[in-house]
Amino acid sequence: MPGTLFVVATPIGNLEDITVRALRVLREATVIAAEDTRRTQHLLARHAITTPTTSLHEHNEAGKSEALVARLLRGDSIALVSDAGTPTVSDPGGLLIRAAIDAGVRVEPIPGPSAVLAALAASGLPTDSFAFLGFPPTRSTDRKLWFERLKAIGGTIVFFEAPHRIQATLHELEREVGDCELAVARELTKIHEQLVRGPISAVVPALSKDRGEFTIVVSVGQTTKQTTKTVDVVAEFGETTKLPGMTKRKAINVIARRHGLAPNMVYEMLESAKKSV
């Protein structure tokens, strides 16, 4: 019988943030495929886990996946972990998972910490729907397309940024989408955790100059200045709800996407107009 590939989420900072199930899987696996075996060893040592490890990172994943799948087909179980958080979310592991699926091997997720969801949950911004865009590209052409995609999607967007690029990226973000509301999280769950909320213009100068890993949550369209007249939104809402199968919630989401606003902002505009009648 083939073994199982376990996709195990590990702490993004605080080593206590790991589930009992994840610890059991790490103990019982034949081998742990880790992005950085040295970093993973700190976690294993903390919990007295002696399972052997093997490296699986962006530079060797393509060449190593075949051998690991062969082990799975022989009956070995493999726990896939990244340096922190959930594997494949801006981390390696996707090629191995795809290869295992194609070979008919069971792939089982062991959910847990995620910087994306941690920042989103504490941001105070709309969470009914959101998009994750990873790291902004550094090449100018790709970067321009990335920002165009961000603007086209609208609503709540989550992305990562490196410490040496965070200031420049936030200034560029303000130029592209206006002074939108956002939350910037640094070193989540760690000793020097920082979470700054507000319009981009206020957040940038408030950010710590210390190094750290950044997760940004921005509500594209939710600016300090109202960019769409309430009367226009009310009129559009009335026409949109007349469409077949269109509920009020769906209509709000349609209008929000159309104008690059957060759904709750459209709702507040409608409520405000209702009270003024």
Side-chain angles (χ1 to χ4, degrees):
M1 288 286 292
T4 299
L5 175 61
F6 296 97
V7 184
V8 185
T10 55
I12 58 177
N14 192 316
L15 295 183
E16 295 178 356
D17 292 337
I18 189 164
T19 68
V20 173
R21 183 183 175 204
L23 291 174
R24 176 181 59 78
V25 168
L26 292 175
R27 285 194 181 96
E28 295 178 355
T30 308
V31 65
I32 297 170
E35 182 179 4
D36 185 331
T37 56
R38 293 166 299 179
R39 291 190 61 172
T40 298
Q41 199 57 50
H42 291 302
L43 174 66
L44 301 182
R46 172 68 176 271
H47 298 284
I49 296 172
T50 59
T51 306
T53 60
T54 185
S55 65
L56 187 80
H57 47 72
E58 61 178 331
H59 302 297
N60 72 357
E61 185 178 5
K64 204 165 184 178
S65 292
E66 183 178 350
L68 290 175
V69 170
R71 294 189 64 169
L72 287 163
L73 291 174
R74 291 198 299 267
D76 287 352
S77 60
I78 297 176
L80 170 67
V81 301
S82 59
D83 285 350
T86 303
T88 76
V89 181
S90 286
D91 280 326
L95 295 178
L96 175 60
I97 291 170
R98 185 69 257 173
I101 292 171
D102 291 344
V105 171
R106 175 178 172 78
V107 176
E108 187 173 322
I110 311 296
S114 165
V116 173
L117 296 180
L120 181 68
S123 69
L125 298 174
T127 59
D128 53 335
S129 64
F130 70 95
F132 173 62
L133 298 185
F135 282 91
T138 56
R139 293 177 57 183
S140 60
T141 302
D142 294 337
R143 193 173 178 85
K144 181 179 179 181
L145 292 174
W146 186 89
F147 274 104
E148 289 298 326
R149 183 184 177 200
L150 180 146
K151 290 188 290 184
I153 294 172
T156 302
I157 306 290
V158 186
F159 63 94
F160 295 149
E161 188 52 287
H164 61 286
R165 287 196 294 266
I166 184 66
Q167 295 276 342
T169 293
L170 292 184
H171 283 303
E172 188 171 355
L173 180 66
E174 183 177 3
R175 289 196 299 271
E176 291 289 343
V177 301
D179 201 12
C180 290
E181 292 289 321
L182 85 170
V184 178
R186 184 182 69 88
E187 297 287 84
L188 281 170
T189 79
K190 299 177 183 177
I191 295 175
H192 301 294
E193 176 180 284
Q194 181 186 33
L195 186 54
V196 185
R197 307 175 184 85
I200 300 173
S201 60
V203 167
V204 172
L207 289 178
S208 170
K209 303 301 181 183
D210 297 330
R211 296 183 65 83
E213 299 176 351
F214 289 89
T215 304
I216 299 91
V217 185
V218 58
S219 186
V220 177
Q222 186 173 328
T223 62
T224 52
K225 296 180 180 179
Q226 186 170 307
T227 57
T228 304
K229 292 182 180 179
T230 301
V231 63
D232 293 337
V233 168
V234 171
E236 286 187 44
F237 180 75
E239 291 299 318
T240 305
T241 52
K242 293 178 183 178
L243 298 174
M246 183 65 69
T247 65
K248 291 182 179 180
R249 175 185 283 273
K250 288 181 180 178
I252 288 174
N253 287 330
V254 167
I255 294 170
R257 286 195 298 271
R258 185 180 298 156
H259 293 286
L261 299 171
N264 69 335
M265 187 176 181
V266 175
Y267 177 81
E268 289 171 3
M269 293 169 75
L270 293 170
E271 287 297 300
S272 178
K274 188 188 301 182
K275 291 176 183 177
S276 65
V277 175

